[in-house]
């Protein structure tokens, strides 16, 4: 059983922010590898879905190679999004810093809480 002693949060920050960082990283990598930007709406959605999958896998694995297909300029491109957890942490460091603000607020309340649980 948990007893809630204090609540703090940042309602403008969530998992989609982290997914978006991976998505943008994937777009930059695609542009670097293929020499042009990814513009096809279905390809962009495939990249966004891949970013979500990579984010989820990085919560339990130190490195992820996620293979998927993109339809771009009337052809299918085999694609791999390869991200290490340390790289992900670097991409999202400012977001992690924002998460620590409410945690430190709760920690400073001297509530005697033994555990702080983050959710969202």
């Amino acid at each position: 059983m948990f007893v809630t002693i204090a609540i703090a949060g940042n309602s403008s920050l969530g998992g989609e922010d982290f997914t978006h960082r991976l998505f943008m990283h994937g777009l930059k990598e695609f542009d670097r590898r293929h020499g042009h930007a990814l513009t096809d709406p279905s390809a962009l959605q495939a990249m966004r879905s891949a970013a979500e999958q990579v984010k989820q896998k990085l919560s339990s694995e130190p490195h992820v190679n996620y293979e998927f297909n993109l339809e771009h300029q009337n052809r299918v491109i085999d694609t791999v999004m390869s991200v290490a957890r340390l790289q992900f942490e670097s991409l999202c460091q400012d977001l992690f810093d924002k998460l620590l603000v409410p945690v430190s607020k709760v920690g400073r309340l001297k509530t005697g809480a033994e555990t702080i649980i983050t959710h969202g």
Side-chain angles (χ1 to χ4, degrees), residues 2-119:
F2 293 99
V3 176
T4 302
I5 298 172
I7 297 174
N10 182 341
S11 61
S12 65
L13 182 61
E16 184 60 33
D17 296 298
F18 296 92
T19 302
H20 185 71
R21 289 289 171 88
L22 283 171
F23 171 71
M24 296 305 293
H25 171 72
L27 292 180
K28 287 178 188 172
E29 283 297 304
F30 182 90
D31 189 15
R32 184 182 66 77
R33 288 181 190 155
H34 298 280
H36 53 81
L38 192 61
T39 57
D40 182 85
S42 65
L44 291 169
Q45 183 56 46
M47 181 69 76
R48 190 173 307 283
S49 295
E52 178 65 29
Q53 292 298 314
V54 168
K55 180 187 75 173
Q56 290 175 7
K57 289 177 182 280
L58 283 172
S59 67
S60 61
E61 299 175 26
H63 188 271
V64 174
N65 286 317
Y66 187 77
E67 298 178 17
F68 60 105
N69 294 323
L70 293 174
E71 276 191 49
H72 183 63
Q73 297 179 343
N74 296 320
R75 52 177 226 221
V76 176
I77 300 172
D78 293 329
T79 307
V80 176
M81 184 182 285
S82 180
V83 181
R85 187 179 303 143
L86 290 175
Q87 183 182 17
F88 172 69
E89 290 172 0
S90 177
L91 288 169
C92 299
Q93 187 59 54
D94 64 312
L95 300 175
F96 290 122
D97 291 344
K98 289 177 184 178
L99 284 174
L100 290 176
V101 172
V103 171
S104 66
K105 284 181 183 177
V106 170
R108 286 194 306 261
L109 292 176
K110 310 253 188 267
T111 61
E114 296 173 10
T115 305
I116 296 175
I117 298 173
T118 59
H119 172 53

